[in-house]
Amino acid sequence: MYLSLDEAAEILKKGGIVAIPTETVYGLAGNAFCEIAIAKIFAAKERPFFDPLIVHIAEFGEIENLAATIPKNAKLLAEKFWPGPMTLVLPKKKSVPDLTTGGLSAVAVRMPKKQIAIDIIKLAGFALAAPSANMFQRLSPTKAEHVLEQLGNRIDGIVDGGACEVGVESTVIGFENEMPVIYRPGAITSEMIKEHLDLKTTSHSPLTTADHVSPGLLQKHYSPNTPLYLESLSEVPPNSGLLAFGKLPANSKAFAKILNLSENEDLIEAAANLYGMLHKLDSCRLGGIYATLLPQAGLGNAINDRLIRAAGC
Ligand code: TXA
Ligand code: MG
């Protein structure tokens, strides 16, 4: 099940699907130009075909095979934040299968930072479509064991690259009238984008947009099997878990299990811990998991976005 980089590349060349580490979460990779491989990814995840995949590249030049045009602001963002946790949605070339883009005329492209991911793309010799390597709507994997648990018997293998450093999925950015719009918040924050493009002095403010623009952003997503609640309680039901951030609440003794995203309220540490801790709490046979939202700024936006969707509210 666990593969070397060469073994993974050979399987990918034959149209197989392999879970690979990236700096954000593990991805379930297949040849972005091979419909058979793409269909296998959708089938393994039980993901609906309208939900498009992100295509991963190892060098900027590969974008020529994918995007018909590249807005100036997209180029500026790529120069600054690639390789890294940022995905750009660009008008697609005809050669990109409709299956890869969920029938949309745009393709999402990302250059990951994790060296293992870059090496696998180069060894395979083509761009890799890779959604997060989890069953549809379930928790994203930040360790190889998480992938094994959910998809072990549905895929051709896993490359173990240890824990993912960032821990939440990439920021997805589209362009409307050449201006960036954040479809999914991530580690490249709205503040960083505005700063780099010098948009601070204009009224333009990249916002999360309506779901139809980014069909994958469903209300219920990234969910553990155990119900997750985003409320603080005066009375804690027996056998409850707490996903804390910073100082514990006064009633913390009433919880059967507590994990703290970051005792020092460090958002980077919290993002890196998010899915791993949710996986752990989910395996504790708790009646419910309680979490509170984090400060709504910078990376806090991305973490809260995932918590709200995980709770399905
Ligand atoms: O960090 C990440 O982005 C990870 C790693 C593996 O790279 N991948 C990931 O993929 O999170 P996935 O499939 O779980 O989420 C991709 C989301 C889609 O659900 C959709 O919302 C958006 O990216 N997306 C993809 N293609 C798009 C397109 N053509 N137009 C608009 N949104 C798109
Ligand atoms: Mg996903």
Side-chain angles (χ1 to χ4, degrees), residues 287-304:
I289 302 168
Y290 291 81
T292 43
L293 291 176
L294 277 55
Q296 188 72 19
L299 199 45
N301 280 315
I303 300 170
N304 287 343

Side-chain angles (χ1 to χ4, degrees), residues 147-185:
V147 182
L148 188 65
E149 203 180 290
Q150 282 194 42
L151 294 177
N153 53 4
R154 295 170 164 253
I155 63 179
D156 297 317
I158 303 172
V159 176
D160 186 353
C164 301
E165 296 79 4
V166 175
V168 288
E169 297 82 353
S170 61
T171 309
V172 178
I173 305 170
F175 295 87
E176 290 169 18
N177 302 322
E178 299 273 315
M179 291 306 248
V181 178
I182 296 180
Y183 295 161
R184 178 177 71 182

Side-chain angles (χ1 to χ4, degrees), residues 5 55-56 59 108 116 119 134 183 188-189 193 202 220 247 254 272:
L5 303 196
V55 179
H56 298 68
E59 276 164 16
I116 296 179
D119 290 345
N134 51 275
Y183 295 161
I188 304 302
T189 63
I193 295 165
T202 72
K220 187 169 168 61
K247 204 165 155 274

Side-chain angles (χ1 to χ4, degrees), residues 45 47 131-132 134 140 169 184 221-222:
K45 282 179 61 87
R47 174 168 169 138
S132 51
N134 51 275
S140 297
E169 297 82 353
R184 178 177 71 182
H221 211 147
Y222 314 110

Side-chain angles (χ1 to χ4, degrees), residues 22 24-27 45 47 51-54 56 87 89 101 104 106-108 110 130-132 168-170 172 183-184 213-217 221:
T22 81
T24 57
V25 300
Y26 275 72
K45 282 179 61 87
R47 174 168 169 138
D51 190 352
L53 308 183
I54 294 173
H56 298 68
T87 296
V89 178
T101 63
L104 297 177
V107 59
R110 171 161 114 81
S132 51
V168 288
E169 297 82 353
S170 61
V172 178
Y183 295 161
R184 178 177 71 182
V213 189
S214 202
L217 292 185
H221 211 147

Side-chain angles (χ1 to χ4, degrees), residues 5-6 17 21 52 72 76 82 87-88 92 117 126 132 161 181 196 302:
L5 303 196
D6 286 317
I17 55 171
K72 183 162 164 276
L76 290 171
W82 275 355
T87 296
L88 300 176
K92 89 171 184 77
F126 40 75
S132 51
V181 178
H196 183 62

